[in-house]
């Protein structure tokens, strides 16, 4: 109501469309030139504006002295008591100079605009807040008898309104993409669930997570990552037709798109028929995102993994809906990404198992339930042992011995890998020292590193300290990294790897051939060893494709002067074929399975004794096994007297 009145009387001082007639307030209000019928209603409207509206109204005389002010204005200008009556408005508002000194037509010198409040400014100043509040001011003309009387309407300053709108926008929207943000998403989801409950029409929540977005962010930088997120937001918006309606079969459903942060997006799809409708939309989203994208002058392809929960079938609780969609999204990731999955009860069961696994692993670290097994490696030609790989095992009470494939990813996801990995490094170094003390030749031990460990602060210091404490030369420790880990070619990774090279620790690329390798980083990173993945060894020598790959890997190693180790060698035929290619070393069940240190020690001692027997009477026992392996001893034997 107040706004309606303000609209009809506003801006009158420039081109007065109509005049109000009044005395000291609303009581004498008359509309000049209007009929008796309209006079009464106009007065009534002004009465409401004066007493109940949220508009501040001040009535002045022609010289700008305050005659009356309604309750809102009195509060706004802090007009206490009665002494303000008859005082110039300039005492309360910072008005233009000319308006303060005029005796007539005061209103002509006060253009519409924002003005500072004096009383409030003083109070704010005392509290140390220097930003004086302002109010927007509009003058409209009333009259008292035949005299024109300015009526001042005060309100929130336009800038403040704009500021408030911006603040509200920021509070609800994601500044990068302009989509709803997490808070607003939750608010919208609660409302959508409530609408679904009342209308008994199901609602779907889609949880989207871009595939391998981290790789882009890490390799191309956060600026590029942000640009990609904006592109994805545009694609999704276009796919959902302006983000408020999407056609599901013959029907239209409301869709609300939000970005929760990072590369996580959500879509609330209301009034879906059920699973089939949601699946149609999911497929359309996957298709839209998988189109080649023009990005920074290059064509790239993004994909996303989608999880879907349905209301009320999967949950009736807001956090439950989000959690279930998130769980379904993880299933899509596990299924190989670029796909969608619905929440299901077995997923719930799987998550319960996973949560219990997490809890057990935390306890495992405290109770030291981990153990290292060691699997030897040998020179392919001579079959002499060159070193071991340390492989973690977990003796879980109630579960028996758990292989690493079952728990490494959980350790990584929970961050526990940092603690567990530190233990592996220290223990492997300590074991080398124990074998040294038994008189075994000083062979090397390889340790597997996870991506998360590489980002761990002080990793290099940890490795250095572990080596120093055990008294082990750095070149006897080899760190096995996977290709995908090295592809995260971040500055941080490069610095850590350079520090390892400086320390003298050896670097191996594990499971080589299964990830995306680039020849340039093999060179740049000073890699010492390539471990050819077991999958290429398994069907040697019969499978021609595997034979071609094995040949290429060995040739690559030779040309880059990198040692090649074949993993998972189980048969003599495989070993012979690899020896023929010129592959340097093998690891696998043909030689020995992974064993605990105390079980492996007699085997290592026996291997060493065999080696010594073979060398007798050369008498070069003092040499390192690795040196002997590649040494042509014939000349030296001949040289003996
Ligand atoms: P990996 O580093 O590639 O280790 C080789 C895996 O192949 C080991 O499995 C080993 O027991 C198995 N293997 C070796 N020779 C043969 C063979 O002839 N035939 C067959 N079928 N398998 C063979 P394991 O011990 O189960 O380890 C699996 C993976 O878990 C490792 O693969 C490694 O990626 C990871 N892992 C193990 N220990 C650690 C650790 O301490 N830290 C981290 N981050 N990862 C670890
Ligand atoms: Mg390994
Ligand atoms: Mg491997």
């Amino acid at each position: 109501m107040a706004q309606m009145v303000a609209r009809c009387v506003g801006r009158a001082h420039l081109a007065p469309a109509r005049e109000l007639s009044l005395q000291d307030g609303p009581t004498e209000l008359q509309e000049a030139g209007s009929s008796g019928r309209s006079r009464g209603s106009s007065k009534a409207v002004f009465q409401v504006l004066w007493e109940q509206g949220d508009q501040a109204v001040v009535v002045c005389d022609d010289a700008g002295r305050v005659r009356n002010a309604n309750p809102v204005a009195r509060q706004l200008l802090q007009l206490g008591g009665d002494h303000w009556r008859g005082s110039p408005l300039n005492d309360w508002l910072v008005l233009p100079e000319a308006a303060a000194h005029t005796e007539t037509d005061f209103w002509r010198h006060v253009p519409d605009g924002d003005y500072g409040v004096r009383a409030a400014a003083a109070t704010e100043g005392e509290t140390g807040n220097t930003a004086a509040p302002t109010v927007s001011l509009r003058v409209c003309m009333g009259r008292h008898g035949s005299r024109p009387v300015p009526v001042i309407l005060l309100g929130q300053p336009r800038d403040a309104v704009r500021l408030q709108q911006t603040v509200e926008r920021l509070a609800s929207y994601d500044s990068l993409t302009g989509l709803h943000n997490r808070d607003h998403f939750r608010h919208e989801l609660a409302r959508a669930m409530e609408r679904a409950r009342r209308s008994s029409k199901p609602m779907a929540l889609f949880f989207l997570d871009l595939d391998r977005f981290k790789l882009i962010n890490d390799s191309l930088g956060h600026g590029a990552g942000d640009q990609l997120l904006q592109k994805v937001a545009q694609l999704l918006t276009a796919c959902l037709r302006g983000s408020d309606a999407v056609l599901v079969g013959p029907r239209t459903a409301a869709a609300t798109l939000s970005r929760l942060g990072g590369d996580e997006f959500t879509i609330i799809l209301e009034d879906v028929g059920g699973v089939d409708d949601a699946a149609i939309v999911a497929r359309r989203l996957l298709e839209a995102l998988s189109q080649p994208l023009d990005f920074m002058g290059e064509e790239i392809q993004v994909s996303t993994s989608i999880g879907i929960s349905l209301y009320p079938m999967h949950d009736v609780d807001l956090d439950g809906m989000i959690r279930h969609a998130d769980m379904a999204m993880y299933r899509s990731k596990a299924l190989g990404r670029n796909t969608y999955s619905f929440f299901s009860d077995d997923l719930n069961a799987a998550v319960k198992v996973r949560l219990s696994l997490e809890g057990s692993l935390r306890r495992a670290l405290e109770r030291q339930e981990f153990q290292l097994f060691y699997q030897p490696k040998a020179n392919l030609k001579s079959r002499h042992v060159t070193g071991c790989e340390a492989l973690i095992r977990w003796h879980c009470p109630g579960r028996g011995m758990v292989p690493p494939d079952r728990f490494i990813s959980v350790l990584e996801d929970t961050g526990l890998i940092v603690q567990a990995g530190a233990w592996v490094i220290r223990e492997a170094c300590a074991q080398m020292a124990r074998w040294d003390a038994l008189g075994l030749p000083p062979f090397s031990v390889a340790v597997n590193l996870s991506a998360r460990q590489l980002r761990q602060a002080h990793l290099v210091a940890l490795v250095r300290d572990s080596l120093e404490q055990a008294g082990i030369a750095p070149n006897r420790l080899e760190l096995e990294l996977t290709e995908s880990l090295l592809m995260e070619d971040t500055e941080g990774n490069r610095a850590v790897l350079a520090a390892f090279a400086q320390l003298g620790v050896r670097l191996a690329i594990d499971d080589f051939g299964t990830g995306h390798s680039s020849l340039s980083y093999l060179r740049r990173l000073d890699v010492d060893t390539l471990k050819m993945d077991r999958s290429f060894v398994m069907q040697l020598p019969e499978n021609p494709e595997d034979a071609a790959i094995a040949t290429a890997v060995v040739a690559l190693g030779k040309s880059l002067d990198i040692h090649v180790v074949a993993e998972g060698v189980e048969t003599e035929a495989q070993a012979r074929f690899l020896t023929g290619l010129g592959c340097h070393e093998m690891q696998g069940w043909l030689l020995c399975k992974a064993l605990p240190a105390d079980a492996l020690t007699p085997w290592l001692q026996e291997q060493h004794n065999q080696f010594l027997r073979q060398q007798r009477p050369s008498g070069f026992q003092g040499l390192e096994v690795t040196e002997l392996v590649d040494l042509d001893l014939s000349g030296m034997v001949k040289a003996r007297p």
Side-chain angles (χ1 to χ4, degrees):
M1 178 68 84
Q3 277 160 358
M4 196 186 88
V5 176
R7 237 193 339 268
C8 62
V9 296
R11 304 214 159 267
H13 77 290
L14 291 177
R18 39 189 183 162
E19 291 180 344
L20 298 172
S21 170
L22 47 95
Q23 201 167 25
D24 285 340
T27 38
E28 303 293 325
L29 184 70
Q30 287 172 4
E31 188 166 3
S34 59
S35 70
R37 196 163 45 86
S38 65
R39 196 178 297 158
S41 63
S42 167
K43 183 176 173 180
V45 167
F46 192 72
Q47 184 88 37
V48 172
L49 163 70
W50 184 267
E51 285 170 3
Q52 290 161 33
D54 48 15
Q55 176 84 59
V57 187
V58 180
V59 179
C60 291
D61 65 17
D62 203 26
R65 285 183 288 264
V66 178
R67 307 267 309 258
N68 205 352
N70 76 342
V72 183
R74 275 181 251 163
Q75 197 183 2
L76 187 71
L77 301 180
Q78 299 183 19
L79 307 178
D82 227 1
H83 64 278
W84 47 268
R85 286 184 197 271
S87 301
L89 183 62
N90 192 52
D91 285 355
W92 314 102
L93 287 177
V94 186
L95 297 179
E97 207 52 40
H101 298 109
T102 186
E103 278 305 310
T104 53
D105 291 346
F106 137 87
W107 51 273
R108 286 189 192 280
H109 306 292
V110 188
D112 286 3
D114 296 342
Y115 293 93
V117 179
R118 287 190 198 277
T123 327
E124 296 286 327
E126 277 159 26
T127 60
N129 187 343
T130 50
T134 54
V135 289
S136 86
L137 177 150
R138 277 188 294 171
V139 185
C140 51
M141 296 307 295
R143 75 179 165 80
H144 185 217
S146 58
R147 265 190 304 125
V149 177
V151 177
I152 316 287
L153 300 173
L154 302 172
Q156 269 199 330
R158 260 158 290 168
D159 281 352
V161 171
R162 226 176 291 131
L163 188 70
Q164 193 179 341
Q165 283 168 349
T166 312
V167 169
E168 276 168 11
R169 229 187 114 70
L170 283 177
S172 330
Y173 290 88
D174 166 39
S175 58
L176 181 69
T177 59
L179 301 178
H180 294 300
N181 64 12
R182 183 184 292 270
D183 285 347
H184 202 62
F185 153 72
R186 289 180 65 87
H187 174 74
E188 288 293 323
L189 180 61
R191 285 170 38 155
M193 285 167 66
E194 179 54 26
R195 280 192 291 270
R197 190 184 64 77
R198 270 191 263 116
S199 66
S200 303
K201 289 176 181 162
M203 184 226 97
L205 172 64
F206 290 59
F207 201 109
L208 286 75
D209 187 288
L210 298 187
D211 296 333
R212 302 186 205 281
F213 174 71
K214 208 184 152 310
L215 206 63
I216 292 189
N217 227 8
D218 285 349
S219 52
L220 300 180
H222 289 268
D226 284 355
Q227 276 185 42
L228 187 68
L229 290 172
Q230 284 168 338
K231 283 241 174 203
V232 167
Q234 285 162 10
L235 280 178
L236 291 173
T237 306
C239 184
L240 295 173
R241 303 224 184 121
S243 87
D244 57 15
V246 58
L247 207 62
V248 181
R251 300 176 311 110
T252 303
T256 308
L257 177 63
S258 313
R259 184 174 81 110
L260 301 197
D263 58 342
E264 290 177 351
F265 295 84
T266 55
I267 297 163
I268 301 166
L269 198 63
E270 292 182 64
D271 192 12
V272 280
V275 172
D276 290 345
D277 282 355
I280 292 171
V281 176
R283 281 198 289 272
R284 189 192 302 164
L285 291 167
L286 290 176
E287 204 182 0
L289 280 185
S290 62
Q291 304 297 326
L293 213 79
D294 183 22
F295 182 63
M296 300 179 88
E298 292 200 31
E299 206 171 74
I300 67 160
Q301 210 163 358
V302 287
S303 70
T304 185
S305 299
I306 303 178
I308 307 165
S309 60
L310 294 169
Y311 176 95
M313 294 79 125
H314 294 152
D315 214 311
V316 290
D317 165 69
L318 186 123
D319 286 313
M321 281 290 288
I322 300 172
R323 198 171 54 249
H324 289 159
D326 188 39
M327 279 158 61
M329 186 277 292
Y330 274 104
R331 169 176 280 186
S332 295
K333 293 263 184 216
L335 288 173
R337 305 183 172 95
N338 195 23
T339 189
Y340 64 93
S341 307
F342 285 93
F343 171 75
S344 62
D345 282 335
D346 61 314
L347 203 53
N348 222 356
V351 167
K352 282 197 184 121
V353 169
R354 159 98 189 196
L355 286 177
S356 114
L357 195 63
E358 278 183 26
S360 305
L361 279 169
R362 274 176 218 283
R363 282 192 297 277
L365 270 169
E366 289 159 22
R367 297 179 191 166
Q368 300 184 338
E369 292 167 2
F370 293 114
Q371 186 186 11
L372 283 187
F373 274 36
Y374 296 86
Q375 188 179 34
K377 292 181 283 182
N379 179 290
L380 259 167
K381 242 191 283 180
S382 66
R383 303 287 168 101
H384 291 146
V385 174
T386 55
C388 292
E389 177 175 4
L391 295 159
I392 197 169
R393 299 289 181 267
W394 174 27
H395 295 280
C396 175
R399 283 194 180 94
M401 198 175 66
V402 188
D405 290 341
R406 300 272 298 280
F407 64 86
I408 288 283
S409 61
V410 185
L411 287 180
E412 283 173 345
D413 291 350
T414 50
L416 294 171
I417 192 74
V418 170
Q419 235 177 307
W423 173 80
V424 170
I425 293 167
R426 276 196 302 271
E427 178 57 25
C429 291
Q431 186 56 51
M432 277 191 263
R434 279 179 223 128
W435 279 326
D436 286 357
L438 290 174
L440 282 165
F443 41 59
S444 66
V445 171
V447 163
N448 295 281
L449 279 194
S450 293
R452 183 90 178 237
Q453 280 177 275
L454 216 57
R455 289 196 291 273
Q456 157 194 6
H458 317 305
L459 176 68
V460 181
L462 171 88
V463 170
R464 190 190 300 117
D465 292 351
S466 306
L467 287 165
E468 271 173 18
Q469 271 174 23
I472 299 294
N475 66 353
R476 289 177 59 195
L477 181 69
E478 188 159 69
L479 300 175
E480 293 193 7
L481 310 159
T482 58
E483 288 164 293
S484 52
L485 191 153
L486 292 176
M487 273 301 281
E488 289 178 21
D489 193 10
T490 58
E491 208 144 294
N493 274 6
R494 258 174 278 155
V496 173
L497 295 177
F500 279 137
Q502 176 83 21
L503 182 63
V505 169
R506 295 162 61 84
L507 288 185
I509 301 190
D510 205 358
D511 308 337
F512 186 74
T514 55
H516 303 275
S517 294
S518 118
L519 292 182
S520 62
Y521 79 64
L522 286 185
R523 256 271 149 269
R524 201 173 52 233
L525 294 178
D526 236 346
V527 171
D528 299 281
T529 308
L530 294 183
K531 295 193 77 178
M532 190 195 304
D533 191 63
R534 191 165 69 87
S535 56
F536 307 121
V537 176
M538 247 168 7
Q539 296 181 45
L540 289 181
E542 300 84 16
N543 186 313
E545 276 173 28
D546 289 348
I549 292 173
T551 308
V553 172
V554 173
L556 179 72
K558 272 189 195 151
S559 66
L560 294 177
D561 198 18
I562 300 176
H563 216 67
V564 178
V565 180
E567 295 187 285
V569 177
E570 295 183 2
T571 66
E572 272 300 340
Q574 290 166 344
R576 268 198 306 275
F577 182 82
L578 289 160
T579 313
L581 291 181
C583 181
H584 303 95
E585 289 180 51
M586 69 161 166
Q587 180 180 343
W589 295 351
L590 178 65
L591 187 67
C592 186
K593 286 198 173 183
L595 293 172
D598 51 357
L600 187 67
T601 304
W603 185 90
L604 286 172
Q605 275 166 332
E606 176 51 30
Q607 292 289 311
H608 183 52
N609 291 340
Q610 257 186 39
F611 166 74
L612 293 179
R613 278 196 295 275
Q614 281 171 16
Q615 300 312 314
R616 227 176 276 140
S618 64
F620 284 100
Q621 287 94 330
L623 285 178
E624 286 192 13
V625 178
T626 39
E627 287 175 48
L628 282 172
V629 157
D630 292 317
L631 210 63
D632 180 4
L633 297 173
S634 50
M636 300 178 101
V637 174
K638 254 188 254 155
R640 280 170 66 88

